[in-house]
Amino acid sequence: RFGFRELGRATTILAEPWFAEVTGGEGGDDLLADLARSADPDLGLLALARIHENAGPNERSILGEVPTTAGEPRSRLLAVVGASAALGDTLVVHPEDVAVVTGESGQGILAEPADDVRATLLRAVGADPESDVPVASIEGATDAMRRCYRQQLLRIAAADLTRPDPLSTLPGVAATLADLASAALEAALAIARAEVADHNLVRLAVLGMGKTGGRELNYISDVDVIFVAEVAEGAVEPDGEPVAEDRAMRIGARLGSAMARACSSPSREPALWEVDAALRPEGKQGPLVRTLASHVAYYERWAKTWEFQALLKARPVAGDVDLAQAYLEAIGPMVWTAVQREHFVEDAQAMRRRVEAHVPRKDADRQLKLGAGGLRDVEFTVQLLQLVHGRVAPEIRQRNTLGALAALAQEGFVG
């Protein structure tokens, strides 16, 4: 009646002494009804049992109190463990984080300024949010960053899953997830600076691309980036000679690689996501880090149509903000004149057909991301219209797909 499918297992868990106390009396059906409202009651019930089994006395006390009391804390906890096996596993490993889910309304995180999230992640790794001073020690910093990231993710998911109007809050959730990813990149850069001794000889800017750049990130996604580096002003070698550009680029590449390791290499805490720099000039065949002048030269001479399309999403997310802004100012005019290139529309359409061709035939009708009429079709359509009309309509120059679509409608380019 409450939507459980694994009846034998559910009966066994509900008969355990601690759970029998929780579900006994008049509150039993009430608790099961709350579980029934979660995405997967069996998953949620099993997670509660695993969390209880791994918890210490204090955490068990909290876990015992929450299910007995109807209200927001219980709704948030059951919604999270009933929706995500991964977040349930996080609570099994860290039962004390049940309090992160239940201890606040959670809705405020969807309106939390990006700078506050950034400061939280930087403090977690021992870095000063007000300066570029690296962490004092990298020992434990990676795990601290990942732990803090997942605590914030628990808060976001609890708020998201218990909203009465989830569709209207979708843009806010996606933006908050992107801001959290940006904050993690900033913390990863702080860790990288502690690992790379001569980091102060180079300025490094990290630009978010794709869904990260558009502040429309989903819960499970690689984070796309581009790295831009310059020799730091006044940087000299120990012998007093100015730092050579190629040496600065090598240092920048070491910083970028160390950032990626902080986010995705094996550690005690699970990896966050892959830092994907494949959208850089020449893709994976090109250098990880380039100077601003090198980026400009590539886009002036060699870039393909789809690369200008990708640059619509570029946004500073970590590192040297001034350098990132200089990059956007240098690249922007090329993006908005790309439509004048020969065969522009045909090239864009051909790229879309190539993407569709890689979708297995058996999945074509239900491939929500890449298939015909899927998410990528929406993005391609919006981006193509932006590139065609953005020269004369600055209002549609937006990174976010839903925002751009609304602007296109308001300006009369779509119905």
Side-chain angles (χ1 to χ4, degrees), residues 211 352 355 368-371 374-381:
K211 294 189 289 291
R352 180 69 192 103
V355 171
L368 296 178
K369 179 179 179 180
L370 302 179
L375 296 176
R376 194 63 78 236
D377 259 357
V378 175
E379 290 179 334
F380 263 67
T381 303

Side-chain angles (χ1 to χ4, degrees), residues 295-344:
H295 276 279
V296 170
Y298 174 83
Y299 288 113
E300 285 179 338
R301 297 188 61 188
W302 307 110
K304 298 179 175 62
T305 295
W306 71 264
E307 293 178 277
F308 293 107
Q309 197 171 334
L311 286 169
L312 288 169
K313 302 283 190 186
R315 175 176 69 93
V317 292
D320 193 309
V321 176
D322 291 338
L323 179 56
Q325 194 58 44
Y327 172 91
L328 294 179
E329 291 172 2
I331 298 299
M334 287 185 273
V335 172
W336 299 115
T337 56
V339 70
Q340 297 172 349
R341 294 160 61 94
E342 191 174 0
H343 306 305
F344 171 82

Side-chain angles (χ1 to χ4, degrees), residues 80-254:
V80 169
V81 296
S84 169
L87 291 179
D89 288 344
T90 296
L91 293 173
V92 171
V93 176
H94 298 291
E96 63 274 24
D97 285 350
V98 166
V100 172
V101 179
T102 63
E104 58 170 316
S105 70
Q107 307 298 354
I109 192 171
L110 301 184
E112 196 168 351
D115 284 347
D116 290 354
V117 179
R118 172 184 174 275
T120 298
L121 268 291
L122 285 172
R123 282 194 290 267
V125 301
D128 182 356
E130 303 302 324
S131 71
D132 286 336
V133 176
V135 299
S137 170
I138 61 173
E139 184 176 356
T142 293
D143 288 330
M145 177 192 72
R146 296 180 183 185
R147 175 81 189 284
C148 183
Y149 174 92
R150 284 199 168 80
Q151 288 174 334
Q152 301 304 307
L153 198 64
L154 284 166
R155 295 175 63 211
I156 295 170
D160 186 9
L161 290 163
T162 54
R163 297 288 286 193
D165 52 347
L167 187 60
S168 66
T169 56
L170 170 64
V173 172
T176 303
L177 289 168
D179 291 342
L180 179 57
S182 301
L185 289 171
E186 195 76 81
L189 179 55
I191 295 171
R193 285 173 174 150
E195 184 178 324
V196 179
D198 41 10
H199 67 89
N200 59 315
L201 301 180
V202 63
R203 300 167 62 196
L204 183 69
V206 187
L207 290 111
M209 303 289 285
K211 294 189 289 291
T212 304
R215 294 184 78 226
E216 51 195 9
L217 197 61
N218 45 290
Y219 283 94
I220 301 173
S221 176
D222 293 347
V223 171
D224 296 311
V225 300
I226 284 178
F227 295 108
V228 186
E230 294 288 345
V231 177
E233 186 176 353
V236 295
E237 300 286 6
D239 61 4
E241 289 294 316
V243 173
E245 185 178 280
D246 61 342
R247 172 158 151 70
M249 295 308 102
R250 289 196 297 272
I251 296 170
R254 285 159 55 201

Side-chain angles (χ1 to χ4, degrees), residues 12 49 59 90 136 185 248 300 310 347 360 377 386 393 410 412:
T12 300
E59 290 82 24
T90 296
L185 289 171
E300 285 179 338
D347 287 348
D377 259 357
Q386 283 182 289
Q410 185 172 344

